[in-house]
Amino acid sequence: MKKKVVCFGEMLVRLPEANADTNALCLEQTKFGGSEANVAVSLAQLGDEVMYITRLPDNKVGHAATD
């Protein structure tokens, strides 16, 4: 039976260490997670209809988390 689930909570961001060669951070290496987000993703992969509610900044990091 397909379930409808709403998860809400913080989106956690783990920023990488600076690149040793350029001393710059790569946004592509940023990891997103948090228990609420992980549950939402897992349920969606199992076929449930999931909505995740959180608040993100309107910048590159926030857009990467949305993607």
Side-chain angles (χ1 to χ4, degrees), residues 3-31:
K3 299 177 185 174
K4 293 183 180 182
V5 180
V6 176
C7 298
F8 62 95
E10 301 139 345
M11 175 71 72
L12 301 181
V13 178
R14 179 179 293 164
L15 295 173
E17 293 184 25
N19 183 320
D21 297 331
T22 63
N23 201 28
L25 296 176
C26 296
L27 185 59
E28 294 80 23
Q29 297 173 337
T30 302
K31 301 200 188 266

Side-chain angles (χ1 to χ4, degrees), residues 35-57:
S35 59
E36 297 89 352
N38 293 340
V39 167
V41 169
S42 296
L43 290 174
Q45 289 177 339
L46 291 171
D48 292 325
E49 186 177 330
V50 179
M51 178 184 287
Y52 182 68
I53 301 171
T54 192
R55 178 127 180 150
L56 298 169

